[in-house]
Every structure is written in C-alpha cells, then in structure tokens.
Amino acid sequence: MDDIMMRGMNMQQMMKQAKAMQKKMMAEQEELAKQEFVGKAPDDMVTATFTGDNQLIDLKINPEAVDPDDVDMLQDLVIAAVKDGMKQVSNATQQKLGKYTQGMGL
C-alpha cells in the first residue's frame, strides 16, 4: 500500500471513531437532561429543582421564609437555592461530559 492509501484508511477510521464518540456524547447528554437536581437554601427554606439541561421545573418556598418585613431575605434564599441547583447541574455535566471536551479548549 502506498502512503496516500494508508492515510485515507486512517482518516476513515478516525471519522468512524469521531462519529461513535459524538453518538455516545449525545446519548449521555440526553440521559443528563432527564435527571433532576434539587438546589437548596440554608435550612431548606427554599428548594429549586432543575433538569440536567438547566431548566427550572419547580420552586418551593417554606412558608416560614415569607416575612413581609424582610423580602430581601426571601430573595437571598431563592438565589441561594437556584445557584446551588445550577452548580449541581454544572458539576454533573462536567463529570459526565468533561471527558469529551478535555484538550479541545472548550
């Protein structure tokens, strides 16, 4: 076999591997999107539930957190729960899909 033919075969093999990896990555992304992650504020006063594709699907506020004289505290609790949920999604995404993006500068 000459050099050009060998390179062509190697390129075909690389393309097959890339397509297989892409298919596996997409399947893992779909699996991740189906998972739910619950972010919590201190003392579970507020919980925020996200899907693995960062969709907020539920927000629960403990009635004890509702103080008309301290709306700022409630806002802080909601923000804390949302940030916690988003962090969980981000960590799970990195854990599951990070292997595909290592060394790619992404």
Side-chain angles (χ1 to χ4, degrees):
M1 270 190 203
D2 64 13
D3 234 12
I4 295 173
M5 224 170 164
M6 285 292 287
R7 276 186 264 162
M9 287 176 63
N10 287 340
M11 186 61 110
Q12 274 186 325
Q13 187 63 27
M14 285 175 50
M15 293 300 286
K16 281 183 182 179
Q17 288 175 345
K19 283 184 179 188
M21 186 187 308
Q22 183 180 23
K23 188 175 183 179
K24 186 174 180 181
M25 185 175 86
M26 289 174 67
E28 289 190 30
Q29 283 176 319
E30 287 176 19
E31 180 183 314
L32 185 64
K34 293 176 186 174
Q35 292 180 331
E36 290 185 2
F37 300 87
V38 180
K40 298 179 179 185
D43 298 324
D44 295 344
M45 295 297 265
V46 176
T47 59
T49 305
F50 288 85
T51 59
D53 57 353
N54 285 310
Q55 299 301 308
L56 178 63
I57 58 171
D58 191 31
L59 184 68
K60 290 189 171 107
I61 300 173
N62 183 320
E64 293 176 28
V66 181
D67 179 353
D69 296 326
D70 196 0
V71 174
D72 288 341
M73 181 190 69
L74 179 57
Q75 290 169 340
D76 291 343
L77 291 170
V78 170
I79 290 169
V82 168
K83 282 184 176 180
D84 184 48
M86 292 178 76
K87 183 178 179 185
Q88 289 181 39
V89 172
S90 178
N91 290 344
T93 300
Q94 180 59 37
Q95 189 174 31
K96 191 171 276 288
L97 302 177
K99 60 188 168 212
Y100 298 108
T101 58
Q102 286 177 347
M104 294 178 146
L106 299 175

